[in-house]
Amino acid sequence: MKFFIDTANLDQIREAQELGVLDGVTTNPSLMAKEGITGTANILNHYKKICEIVTGDVSAEVIATDYKGIIDEGERLADLHPQIVVKVPMIRDGVKALNYFADKGIKTNCTLVFSAGQALLAAKAGATYVSPFIGRLDDVSTDGMALIKQIVTIYANYLFETQILAASVRHPMHIIQCAESGADVVTCPLSAITALLNHPLTDIGLEKFLADYRKGNS
Ligand code: G3P
């Protein structure tokens, strides 16, 4: 399972990259705004900076919601850097655009997916990645992980090549459950990735090993 970091924060992207487990980055307009990145030129430049830090795919989301606008913006984003994946919302014109980008060999990430039907459409349209938002489903008392399992089954039934990118992943248990369910990718905050490191028995065990070493070597 690939690990993507879901942020536009360059320090956090660097930290995850240095950990050696990072496969890519996802961003969205809210995450860019959170970092104070505004204005087209600054936003495009920020995507280039992210691509220089990581070696994997970097999702850059279009703002346009009409077919022509999505195509124009998506092509501009894809021209920025070979690692850019054009992130397209799950709307009617978005599905049409996914098809267009697939024909052009431009990688896409279909975002704001909340149902199996939407995931099926994204795969039919040739999306490279589909992003079901599991945390936001959990937020409205719906089982986000059940959707991941449903999409895994549907894609396996028909050998769709679209990769399931579990998004809106909020905590380490989401990551574990995604791995159990067969998601291809998880995208999450740095805190969820580093939380996987922690176990009190590791800390206690290491403390004891070092204490015993010091007893015999002082
Ligand atoms: O990038 C989309 C998604 O991961 C957003 O997550 O936590 O805002 O629901 P969240």
Side-chain angles (χ1 to χ4, degrees), residues 72-95:
D72 290 347
E73 205 181 332
E75 287 185 329
R76 193 168 173 202
L77 288 168
D79 280 346
L80 275 181
H81 197 281
Q83 285 164 243
I84 291 286
V85 173
V86 180
K87 204 170 176 188
V88 177
M90 171 38 77
I91 54 176
R92 183 181 292 259
D93 281 9
V95 171

Side-chain angles (χ1 to χ4, degrees), residues 139-153:
D139 288 345
V140 293
S141 310
T142 303
D143 186 355
M145 205 52 62
L147 175 60
I148 299 293
K149 291 176 188 159
Q150 223 181 346
I151 302 171
V152 167
T153 302

Side-chain angles (χ1 to χ4, degrees), residues 6 26-28 31 61 87 111 133 135-136 139 167-170 187:
D6 196 27
T26 52
T27 62
N28 61 41
L31 293 171
E61 189 160 340
K87 204 170 176 188
T111 189
F133 277 34
R136 291 191 194 185
D139 288 345
S168 189
V169 166
R170 307 268 176 78
T187 190

Side-chain angles (χ1 to χ4, degrees), residues 6-61:
D6 196 27
T7 185
N9 183 291
L10 299 181
D11 289 337
Q12 288 184 18
I13 294 169
R14 270 188 213 101
E15 193 178 330
Q17 176 69 17
E18 281 163 15
L19 195 58
V21 297
L22 191 65
D23 299 297
V25 178
T26 52
T27 62
N28 61 41
S30 305
L31 293 171
M32 292 297 261
K34 192 174 163 194
E35 299 308 316
I37 315 297
T38 55
T40 308
N42 290 334
I43 290 171
L44 297 182
N45 195 36
H46 201 74
Y47 286 137
K48 281 202 234 172
K49 285 186 193 167
I50 294 174
C51 291
E52 282 159 17
I53 299 172
V54 300
T55 49
D57 286 345
V58 174
S59 287
E61 189 160 340

